[in-house]
Amino acid sequence: MNYAEFYRRSIEDREAFWAEQARLIDWKQAPRTICDNSKPPFTRWFAGGTTNLCHNAVDRHLKDRPDQPALIYVSTETGIERTYSFAQLHGEVLRAAAALKSLGVKKGDCVLIYMPMIAEAAFAMLACARIGAIHSVVFGGFASVSLASRIEDAKPKLIVSADAGSRGGKVTAYKPLLDEAIRLSKHKPQSVLLVDRGLAPMELGGGRDHDWTALTEQHAGMQVDCEWLDATDISYTIYTSGTTGQPKGVQRDVGGYAVALAASMKHIFLGEPGETYFSTSDIGWVVGHSYIVYGPLLAGMATIMYEGLPIRPDAGVWWSLVEKYKVTAMFSAPTAVRVLKKQDPAFLKKYDLSSLKALFLAGEPLDEPTARWISEGLGVPIIDNYWQTESGWPILTIANGVEKKPSRFGSPGVPMYGYDVKLVHESTGEELTGVNEKGVVVIEGPTPPGFMQTVWGDDERYVRTYWETVPGRMVYSTFDWGIRDKDGYYFILGRTDDVINVAGHRLGTREIEESISSHPNVAEVAVVGVADALKGQVAMAFVVARDSSTLPDAASRLKLEGDIMKLVDGQLGAVARPSRVHFVNLLPKTRSGKLLRRAIQAVAEGRDPGDLTTIEDPAALQQIRDLIVSK
Ligand code: PRX
């Protein structure tokens, strides 16, 4: 089929197009309305329909493929490697669902999942989906303060966690971080369910804490039916960073999400039932939700869940899994490829990769040398795809399942069906239609199925944050700069806000600033993202000390820098740790006291900061320039 026509129908004949896509999943009751956009920007998809994500991901496949692999769990951290067939996965999910119910979890309750990459995390997510509980998975790399703010906002009845995570052989105990987070949070969960992996000592607190293995074994063999949910009911929330320090709970529905993922597996990810999908992401991120857990299973594919580094025991480990499990589609991030690029390229040729149809990369800009290196090394198409936690599935890429189109290095591609993507002028809101004109990437409503419904518990914030930033128009802002070439391919040029992207992890600089500010010797701080050859960006902090007499020499500055890094590690997690903390006498501000972040970032990257007519004291920027040059 012709993609241009496919796309046109998705926008101009929206109802018929999505009614067709809706047939890719099972419904208990068929939807009454396909798209209800009577209260923009709140689009409701498939209202009147009832369905269940767990049914579609698991139960639905029991008839045709009960013994085919569903979840392939591989940990190079613990040496555990285990395949669960659809029937076995069904059994595990049933026990987990029964265990959740025994702890009083009901439809509409929130369950927060703070877990490493273990199979139980997927069981817990699917169990929630089964009984209509709303899961909120928090990335296991976050520490107590990040976790506390999410617990406080999500208000979970139950938290599912584990004794520890492991990365590169280094064990991080989760239970003490979780206990501290619960102590810090105003909201307290009724119960905590803990998987004991035997990696770190763990004491179960009387009354509140329960052991996963004991409780699920108690419920082995129990039947727990799928709860038939309204298509517009909430499936989950996932927190993501924005301009303010307070992360937002991105809220998603049930029916729209199921249809969007099923459609994307077919049209974008080339997935066929019985094949194997391998996404190297983490369940704590949106890619893990959509393309480790739900997407592949909805498509009847086996999904590989991998715990470990891409280079341990050696840089061939992922390719060995591709060979062993005949992976047909793989999904990773440019950072991971850049890590592999530093290793012996012979690893790319060591295994039989003939099963692999494509490698999909997303999460951060894919630079051309990296794309070229991996494409030549693997000999398979590299498909860049651009999207966000908010969208749930690709906004820009190429839909090779519809029509084969060439990728263009440096560009994620063209707007996907359902997304009416535009470029607008930042300050006038005017639509930019010219070739290579730079503007803000926006989406005209109604947003497609799978897109966020709202910000959890705060409709007003959803509207204000995303839909009221472009003057004179109600459009969804992605907060990304972009340009479009003469053939309609988009190029993404970085964020317009204070979000940074470190190794594909989306972080808010304000959250990092708040953490650093809690150090007693910090008077003021600015955190900016600085370009980095390996991680894409790193966080760099500029601090004005409260008492500069404590920093007479390099050794004392180094000591405070180390203390601040440890503080961020302990509060937010190592992912948010700044790569450097520089000390300055004052921060560059406008005469009205606004921090000149873009200027700081430009100077820290060795670029020209541009117009500085509003700066209060140019010496502040000079000081940063001197610091950067002297490093
Ligand atoms: O700035 C864009 C960048 O990552 C942001 C979204 O991050 P997150 O919510 O974690 O979702 C990741 C889902 C894949 C975007 O606003 N980004 C994501 N993909 C790309 C990208 N930048 C350039 N190219 C991409 N392919």
Side-chain angles (χ1 to χ4, degrees), residues 42 107-112 132-136 149-157 187 233-240 246-252 452-463 466:
F42 301 95
K107 181 186 163 188
D109 287 338
C110 174
V111 174
L112 189 138
I134 300 162
H135 61 65
S136 190
S149 63
R150 287 156 175 81
I151 294 174
E152 200 160 300
D153 193 77
K155 301 193 178 51
K157 186 178 241 182
H187 172 85
D233 277 345
I234 307 167
S235 60
Y236 70 76
T237 66
I238 176 169
Y239 284 84
T240 194
Q246 183 60 36
K248 291 180 287 281
V250 166
Q251 176 184 313
R252 212 155 253 129
M452 73 186 289
Q453 289 180 299
T454 185
V455 171
W456 168 252
D458 201 343
D459 284 352
E460 202 262 319
R461 189 171 174 204
Y462 176 58
V463 177
Y466 294 105

Side-chain angles (χ1 to χ4, degrees), residues 14-24 27 34 45-46:
R14 187 169 273 123
E15 303 253 335
F17 178 90
W18 286 107
E20 246 163 59
Q21 304 304 319
R23 289 202 274 278
L24 291 169
W27 296 88
I34 300 299
W45 284 96
F46 309 117

Side-chain angles (χ1 to χ4, degrees), residues 287 362-365 384-389 480 492 495 501 506:
V287 179
E364 54 180 319
D384 189 355
N385 55 117
Y386 160 87
W387 47 296
Q388 306 183 307
T389 306
D480 279 302
I492 299 294
R495 298 278 304 195
N501 197 319
R506 172 167 162 185

Side-chain angles (χ1 to χ4, degrees), residues 6-17:
F6 189 77
Y7 177 79
R8 193 200 57 74
R9 274 195 69 221
S10 78
I11 303 294
E12 290 172 16
D13 203 1
R14 187 169 273 123
E15 303 253 335
F17 178 90

Side-chain angles (χ1 to χ4, degrees), residues 180-211:
E180 172 65 4
I182 295 176
R183 196 185 65 73
L184 291 172
S185 163
K186 283 199 214 70
H187 172 85
K188 313 288 176 198
Q190 272 174 25
S191 338
V192 177
L193 185 54
L194 291 142
V195 178
D196 189 352
R197 315 175 68 190
L199 291 180
M202 177 168 66
E203 263 180 45
L204 299 190
R208 189 195 72 182
D209 298 347
H210 302 266
D211 178 66

Side-chain angles (χ1 to χ4, degrees), residues 193-229:
L193 185 54
L194 291 142
V195 178
D196 189 352
R197 315 175 68 190
L199 291 180
M202 177 168 66
E203 263 180 45
L204 299 190
R208 189 195 72 182
D209 298 347
H210 302 266
D211 178 66
W212 171 284
T213 310
L215 200 66
T216 52
E217 265 170 19
Q218 227 174 298
H219 293 90
M222 249 174 88
Q223 188 56 39
V224 180
D225 291 338
C226 283
E227 186 85 36
W228 296 109
L229 302 169

